[in-house]
Amino acid sequence: MIEQNPFKWRHFQADIILLCVRWYLRYALSYRDLEEMMLERGLHVDHTTIYRWVQKYAPELDKRCRPHLKTCNDSWKVDETYIKIKKVWMYLYRAVDSEGNTLEFLLSPTRDAEAATRFFLKALRSTADGVPQAHSLKEKMAQPATAGNLAIGAPRVINVDKNAAYPKAIADLKAAGVLPEHVELRQVKYLNNLIEQDHRFIQPFPNV
């Protein structure tokens, strides 16, 4: 079966669309910034058009690129930071491995054990399957524990800060059989210097 061209009927060429999407996802640029940058290159692209491109193609890019990303190691560094998105403050949960490779992220309006649990489930699915699946927390927690789904994607150690929500989230996941018992949780602040320094590049998140 021939795969349909995802850019069919688009007014602009695929490389222009992908360039705008990539720049928006990679750099701290707003849609209006990209509109101005395209205008400087002789292209009249409205910022709302770029917004629609990002909504349309960013999930597909994530789906296609994730299986080709560098394999992560079994030492996770997890942290959260506070960022403003469209004038709303949100908590951004992130996980990287010991080499700084991004494993997963999650935006949450709250900073508690429930949010931490949802993030760990998302990260485990991502590292195990390559592409995150749309299972709810209740569905995942209700699934029976098997040797396969415990071993694949589970880290050896998870480094976090002193946030009290993390031990509870890890304990709940272990009790539910989602996370293997041998996974070590380390709450030592200096071990997370790598991800905390990396936050500097994402905190100036622009408004749309």
Side-chain angles (χ1 to χ4, degrees):
M1 182 177 179
I2 300 177
E3 184 177 0
Q4 185 178 2
N5 180 7
F7 301 98
K8 188 176 182 180
W9 310 119
R10 293 292 179 182
H11 180 71
F12 291 92
Q13 295 178 339
D15 54 350
I16 296 174
I17 295 174
L18 290 175
L19 182 64
C20 288
V21 174
R22 178 184 178 276
W23 281 355
Y24 179 79
L25 296 176
R26 176 62 181 85
Y27 304 106
L29 298 170
S30 69
Y31 296 119
R32 293 185 184 275
D33 290 335
L34 287 170
E35 178 183 6
E36 182 179 344
M37 292 169 67
M38 290 298 105
L39 186 60
E40 291 174 349
R41 290 160 174 78
L43 296 172
H44 295 267
V45 186
D46 191 80
H47 65 278
T48 58
T49 299
I50 299 174
Y51 166 81
R52 289 193 293 269
W53 290 348
V54 172
Q55 303 307 307
K56 170 70 175 179
Y57 296 108
E60 185 65 22
L61 285 173
D62 178 72
K63 178 181 177 181
R64 297 193 182 201
C65 292
R66 190 172 291 276
H68 303 285
L69 296 178
K70 181 179 179 181
T71 304
C72 62
N73 58 45
D74 60 0
S75 177
W76 291 10
K77 300 179 184 298
V78 177
D79 195 26
E80 75 285 337
T81 188
Y82 209 36
I83 63 174
K84 182 182 285 187
I85 301 178
K86 294 184 179 180
K87 301 181 181 180
V88 177
W89 285 99
M90 301 280 286
Y91 288 100
L92 174 64
Y93 285 82
R94 295 181 64 228
V96 302
D97 66 11
S98 60
E99 296 182 0
N101 301 307
T102 298
L103 304 174
E104 192 53 271
F105 67 91
L106 174 73
L107 285 169
S108 172
T110 59
R111 180 176 178 258
D112 52 22
E114 182 180 350
T117 302
R118 285 192 290 113
F119 172 68
F120 283 128
L121 284 174
K122 192 169 187 282
L124 287 167
R125 286 197 299 268
S126 178
T127 54
D129 304 330
V131 179
Q133 303 297 317
H135 294 304
S136 68
L137 176 61
K138 290 183 178 180
E139 289 173 339
K140 188 65 178 180
M141 297 289 276
Q143 289 180 356
T146 65
N149 62 27
L150 292 180
I152 299 176
R156 171 182 54 85
V157 60
I158 301 176
N159 301 292
V160 298
D161 58 18
K162 295 294 185 178
N163 184 352
Y166 288 127
K168 185 179 187 310
I170 294 297
D172 289 344
L173 290 172
K174 287 184 176 181
V178 176
L179 195 66
E181 287 291 337
H182 65 76
V183 176
E184 179 185 0
L185 179 67
R186 294 194 297 202
Q187 287 189 288
V188 182
K189 187 174 179 59
Y190 76 87
L191 293 177
N192 263 10
N193 286 346
L194 178 66
I195 188 170
E196 289 177 356
Q197 291 296 316
D198 197 50
H199 283 329
R200 295 178 301 170
F201 300 104
I202 60 173
Q203 283 181 329
F205 204 93
N207 292 326
V208 176

